[in-house]
Amino acid sequence: MKDKQHLLQFNQKIQLTIVSFDGIIKETDNKLFDWKTGSSIYDTHPFFYIIESLTNDSSTKEFSFPCIHFKNNTSEKLCDVSIKIKHSEIAIIFYDYTEKYKELNQIAQQRNESFLKSKALALKNKYLLEKEEFKNSFIANINHEIRTPLTSIIGFVEVLEKTKLSFEQEELTRIIKRDSQHLHTLVDDMIDISKIESGQLKIVEERFVFSDLIAGLNESYSRLADEKNLQFETYIDSNIQEYLIGDRMRIYQILNNLLNNAFKFTEEGKISLSVTKNYQRTNKLSINFKIEDTGIGILEEHQPHVFDRFTRFNEEKQISGTGLGLAIVKNLIDTLNGEIKMTSQPEKGTIFNIKLPLKFEITKSAPERKKKKYTLPENKKKFRILLVEDEETTQYLVMKTLITHGSFYVDVAIHGEEAIHYIERRNYDLILMDLKMTKVDGYQATHMIRNNYGDKVISEVPIVGFTANTNATERDKCLKSGMDDFINKPFKREDLIYIITKQIAKKAAD
């Protein structure tokens, strides 16, 4: 029964029409089209004018034409047409495939749309990758260009501080130093947010004295509290182990950012940092950091956006900043698998609660590793340093720093090629090698020194990389190229002296 119904349904989609050689309809069953016998087939559709060319040959012929579109006032169909030419008449069979062709057309359209969407997505991804590459390159260049003059500003301020200054000059020097350090922080913020977004931020787990981290923050912000006439309190749970394992630098960065914000937006009252243990299991524990202030607070409508990038509220207060601090805090906490929550009331204050997972060693406390002390060898009155640097202000700063120290002579080369000429004519105790220079850069010059000379006085001279680039891989690249150490710009005077002393002492001990 079902087969008969299917056959009947199929037959309803076929129409047979018999026409004469002059195009007059002789017979038709009108299952698909309502055509009258005696009328001309040419009047129904222009397609049938093809019959004239098909009947030139008197022999019997069969022709098939797929997907012919028939449309009139009452119907619209897509049919395959079969034309069979006999000696006395022409048989035309119509197969109604309207639904099938529409389905195929829809499938083809969907495929085309899918293909176009895929192409659009590929182009968008390419655009985003190019945009990200441009942004990272731009930030890296800006970082280098800002750090170079910043090195000179901070360095010369430190030199200036050691001279005899009047009270007014000391105050002006303090302002320059404070704002330079603020600019340094802003540059670091830009680099950090770029690393976080590109997935290049590396988390380093190390063993450290937890109480020392909090004590360092307490010391720094107690001084700031005195300057602003504010109360500042810290509390640390005595049950927290002395030695913890985690990324000390990132934890410090999180707390420092939040405390800096609290002081920035608090005019009077109190700021507190409280550290308590949430729980402890085997060698793992969770620590809660609570930072509370009595500052201006945040309006309720602004609170959902407080961790967004470049978001700044209270513009009328004219408080400086990039709007990146809290965005960096949130991203760092997420990277450390922690949590952060905020509550705030306008004109009453803000509270940040942070939970961070850490580890500790189930062993007896070991003495803290202190920075190893190095002293210059006593066999020379002064040591000769070759500074390879193309920035005039940095040249002057390093020369002033080292000559003022009293233990060094300094020669200056402006690029790697000139440095090679210098080392062939004079023996040096150490080379400070800038990485980014014209003609021959620091990496190329180091390679030449290490590989082109049989004289060990030249080929084994200590070389310290010297650059404004803070990329995490830069230090590894320096060491792999043959350098002995690395220092960032801007640098502190004592850090530069320490690294130079360390490398000269180590060379003397070989």
Side-chain angles (χ1 to χ4, degrees):
M1 183 66 181
K2 287 183 179 180
D3 290 340
K4 288 183 179 180
Q5 287 177 346
H6 178 73
L7 185 60
L8 181 63
Q9 185 180 9
F10 182 74
N11 287 336
Q12 294 299 317
K13 293 187 176 293
I14 299 176
Q15 177 171 326
L16 174 62
T17 299
I18 307 296
V19 301
S20 63
F21 277 83
D22 56 1
I24 301 301
I25 298 174
K26 298 168 66 176
E27 295 179 37
T28 183
D29 51 19
N30 290 351
K31 291 178 181 175
L32 302 177
F33 306 104
D34 187 15
W35 295 336
K36 294 180 180 179
T37 57
S39 62
S40 174
I41 193 73
Y42 300 125
D43 294 336
T44 62
H45 197 280
F47 164 75
F48 294 110
Y49 282 101
I50 199 172
I51 293 175
E52 293 179 351
S53 62
L54 299 179
T55 55
N56 290 335
D57 189 349
S58 58
S59 62
T60 301
K61 298 177 184 177
E62 290 187 15
F63 303 92
S64 295
F65 302 92
C67 197
I68 306 301
H69 187 196
F70 295 97
K71 184 178 181 181
N72 55 32
N73 295 332
T74 58
S75 63
E76 180 178 358
K77 297 186 183 299
L78 292 166
C79 300
D80 284 3
V81 179
S82 179
I83 300 176
K84 187 173 183 179
I85 301 174
K86 300 180 180 180
H87 293 291
S88 58
E89 60 187 13
I90 300 170
I92 304 174
I93 305 173
F94 301 88
Y95 301 91
D96 183 8
Y97 290 132
T98 304
E99 292 180 7
K100 285 294 179 187
Y101 277 123
K102 284 184 177 179
E103 286 176 8
L104 288 171
N105 184 59
Q106 187 176 7
I107 291 170
Q109 186 175 354
Q110 288 173 347
R111 284 179 177 174
N112 287 339
E113 288 176 356
S114 176
F115 175 76
L116 290 172
K117 286 179 181 178
S118 176
K119 279 286 185 184
L121 185 61
L123 287 171
K124 185 177 180 181
N125 286 340
K126 184 182 177 184
Y127 166 74
L128 290 174
L129 287 171
E130 289 175 350
K131 183 180 176 183
E132 182 69 19
E133 186 178 344
F134 171 79
K135 183 197 73 175
N136 291 336
S137 175
F138 175 77
I139 289 176
N141 288 334
I142 287 293
N143 171 45
H144 184 274
E145 294 304 319
I146 292 177
R147 281 178 182 273
T148 299
L150 196 58
T151 298
S152 301
I153 296 169
I154 294 175
F156 282 122
V157 167
E158 289 185 346
V159 172
L160 194 60
E161 284 178 325
K162 297 185 181 301
T163 63
K164 292 182 179 181
L165 301 173
S166 66
F167 176 78
E168 184 180 4
Q169 289 170 331
E170 285 181 355
E171 184 65 17
L172 293 174
T173 304
R174 186 184 65 80
I175 293 169
I176 294 170
K177 188 173 184 179
R178 182 195 65 200
D179 286 351
S180 298
Q181 289 170 341
H182 176 62
L183 179 58
H184 189 193
T185 302
L186 298 184
V187 174
D188 285 345
D189 281 351
M190 284 196 301
I191 299 302
D192 281 340
I193 203 73
S194 176
K195 286 180 181 177
I196 290 167
E197 289 183 349
S198 61
Q200 295 178 359
L201 186 75
K202 292 182 179 179
I203 299 301
V204 179
E205 289 199 344
E206 59 181 345
R207 185 173 179 268
F208 65 97
V209 181
F210 182 69
S211 58
D212 284 358
L213 185 150
I214 304 302
L217 289 165
N218 181 61
E219 183 181 352
S220 298
Y221 284 100
S222 290
R223 286 198 298 266
L224 183 57
D226 290 340
E227 289 177 16
K228 295 191 69 173
N229 199 25
L230 295 170
Q231 285 182 270
F232 178 59
E233 295 179 357
T234 58
Y235 167 78
I236 181 168
D237 189 340
S238 59
N239 292 317
I240 296 175
Q241 283 77 2
E242 182 182 5
Y243 290 90
L244 298 183
I245 300 171
D247 196 322
R248 182 191 187 282
M249 185 180 77
R250 298 304 173 188
I251 296 170
Y252 180 88
Q253 190 176 0
I254 290 166
L255 298 176
N256 189 52
N257 257 320
L258 291 173
L259 284 170
N260 185 53
N261 251 31
F263 275 89
K264 190 185 292 185
F265 294 103
T266 303
E267 300 291 338
E268 58 182 21
K270 177 181 172 183
I271 296 166
S272 63
L273 167 62
S274 174
V275 188
T276 54
K277 184 189 289 189
N278 292 320
Y279 64 81
Q280 175 182 326
R281 299 191 187 105
T282 59
N283 68 328
K284 297 178 182 179
L285 73 160
S286 171
I287 293 180
N288 187 79
F289 301 87
K290 182 180 178 181
I291 295 173
E292 186 173 3
D293 66 59
T294 57
I296 59 178
I298 301 169
L299 294 174
E300 188 174 353
E301 60 265 30
H302 292 158
Q303 291 180 21
H305 309 289
V306 76
F307 296 113
D308 294 348
R309 291 182 305 158
F310 305 110
T311 300
R312 294 178 62 189
F313 309 119
N314 305 298
E315 293 288 349
E316 67 279 2
K317 300 285 185 181
Q318 296 295 307
I319 296 172
S320 62
T322 59
L324 288 174
L326 289 179
I328 291 171
V329 165
K330 180 66 167 63
N331 278 284
L332 286 175
I333 290 171
D334 289 344
T335 304
L336 294 172
N337 298 315
E339 299 176 15
I340 182 169
K341 292 181 180 178
M342 182 207 71
T343 56
S344 185
Q345 289 183 283
E347 305 306 326
K348 289 188 177 181
T350 303
I351 301 173
F352 284 96
N353 275 293
I354 304 103
K355 290 181 182 178
L356 289 178
L358 290 161
K359 297 177 184 176
F360 64 93
E361 291 181 350
I362 312 176
T363 56
K364 293 182 180 180
S365 296
E368 182 185 359
R369 288 175 59 188
K370 293 183 178 179
K371 197 173 184 179
K372 188 174 179 180
K373 289 185 179 180
Y374 293 94
T375 55
L376 291 167
E378 296 180 358
N379 59 329
K380 282 188 179 182
K381 290 184 178 180
K382 287 193 178 184
F383 298 84
R384 189 166 292 278
I385 308 297
L386 176 61
L387 170 64
V388 190
E389 168 65 58
D390 56 1
E391 285 286 339
E392 188 176 342
T393 52
T394 306
Q395 292 172 6
Y396 183 66
L397 171 62
V398 175
M399 289 177 65
K400 184 76 174 174
T401 300
L402 297 184
I403 291 170
T404 304
H405 183 272
S407 301
F408 306 102
Y409 295 114
V410 182
D411 291 336
V412 178
I414 60 173
H415 49 68
E417 186 177 317
E418 191 171 63
I420 297 299
H421 292 309
Y422 272 78
I423 66 168
E424 289 176 346
R425 289 163 175 77
R426 175 174 279 173
N427 293 337
Y428 290 95
D429 296 289
L430 182 136
I431 299 174
L432 278 173
M433 183 78 75
D434 188 33
L435 304 183
K436 190 176 180 181
M437 296 177 292
T438 56
K439 291 191 177 181
V440 177
D441 66 23
Y443 296 113
Q444 294 169 318
T446 299
H447 181 79
M448 293 166 69
I449 292 168
R450 293 289 185 242
N451 296 283
N452 293 359
Y453 297 93
D455 185 351
K456 289 187 177 182
V457 174
I458 295 176
S459 64
E460 295 183 2
V461 60
I463 302 175
V464 175
F466 195 55
T467 183
N469 193 333
T470 59
N471 190 299
T473 61
E474 199 72 48
R475 181 184 179 85
D476 292 338
K477 191 176 176 183
C478 284
L479 297 178
K480 286 178 182 177
S481 73
M483 297 181 193
D484 299 277
D485 215 328
F486 175 86
I487 186 168
N488 272 126
K489 300 175 186 177
F491 57 85
K492 292 182 179 179
R493 177 185 179 277
E494 57 266 29
D495 290 339
L496 179 64
I497 299 297
Y498 176 81
I499 287 177
I500 291 173
T501 303
K502 170 185 171 183
Q503 292 304 327
I504 292 176
K506 287 176 72 174
K507 176 64 178 173
D510 287 346

